[in-house]
Amino acid sequence: MSGTGRAATAGRWALVAVVLVLLVVPGRLLASAHDADDVLVPYSARQAAGQVPLGETWDVDAGVLAADVDLLQVVAVRPRVTVDTAEADITVRLCRPAAGSSATGCHSLSGVPPGGGVRLAPGSAELVVSVTPRRAGRVQIEGYDVTYLDDGHRGTEHAGRGLVLRAV
């Protein structure tokens, strides 16, 4: 290989290195800026426990709380179901107190309007899990993976409390 061929190859490698640095470093800096930016109170071993007849729905606060007073947009919630011998239907809804009323309005997460920021706290808004067992058995949920938007930052955290339900 001639000297100009080596120089051209070295120049190409230098260009690749510069492009990688320009693309990777800003993303890494942004990620590290939000690395310890917990928006939700972490999952705890606290549990809600109950018993319900077959076919009846048990609604309970999922125990997901914001770590601060900032508004955030809940994008998705995935319960961590570890046991479901009751073949239960499980849904999570976002519930907010109605303005000027003691009634609470609940919406499926897909029904929450885009940009609808909420504060997850008692009296403000809460995630409610509804469990309807289809046969006798047990349902156990060990928290929720909550995906949210917070001031333009998208994150997913394991939060809430456990749930143990016996269907009879």
Side-chain angles (χ1 to χ4, degrees):
M1 186 181 278
S2 70
T4 56
R6 284 189 203 120
T9 300
R12 284 187 198 112
W13 280 111
L15 179 62
V16 167
V18 167
V19 168
L20 284 174
V21 166
L22 290 174
L23 293 175
V24 172
V25 169
R28 283 301 196 190
L29 290 174
L30 183 60
S32 66
H34 291 286
D35 200 22
D37 195 13
D38 287 340
V39 172
L40 303 173
V41 174
Y43 170 76
S44 73
R46 295 177 302 121
Q47 288 190 339
Q51 183 173 313
V52 67
L54 288 178
E56 288 191 22
T57 300
W58 189 44
D59 296 315
V60 65
D61 178 8
V64 176
L65 299 171
D68 56 29
V69 296
D70 293 340
L71 296 179
L72 58 98
Q73 181 180 353
V74 178
V75 176
V77 179
R78 187 181 62 79
R80 289 190 181 185
V81 180
T82 55
V83 175
D84 185 9
T85 59
E87 296 178 4
D89 294 322
I90 301 169
T91 58
V92 180
R93 297 171 297 142
L94 177 65
C95 299
R96 304 183 221 200
S101 166
S102 61
T104 301
C106 295
H107 306 279
S108 69
L109 291 174
S110 61
V112 176
V118 296
R119 179 171 180 263
L120 292 173
S124 295
E126 59 187 17
L127 294 174
V128 172
V129 61
S130 298
V131 181
T132 307
R134 291 185 278 159
R135 57 179 252 180
R138 186 168 170 240
V139 177
Q140 184 168 342
I141 298 174
E142 296 193 9
Y144 307 84
D145 291 321
V146 181
T147 302
Y148 57 84
L149 292 173
D150 177 38
D151 200 25
H153 168 69
R154 183 182 181 102
T156 299
E157 294 181 36
H158 182 211
R161 63 179 172 180
L163 175 141
V164 177
L165 176 69
R166 209 172 102 225
V168 291

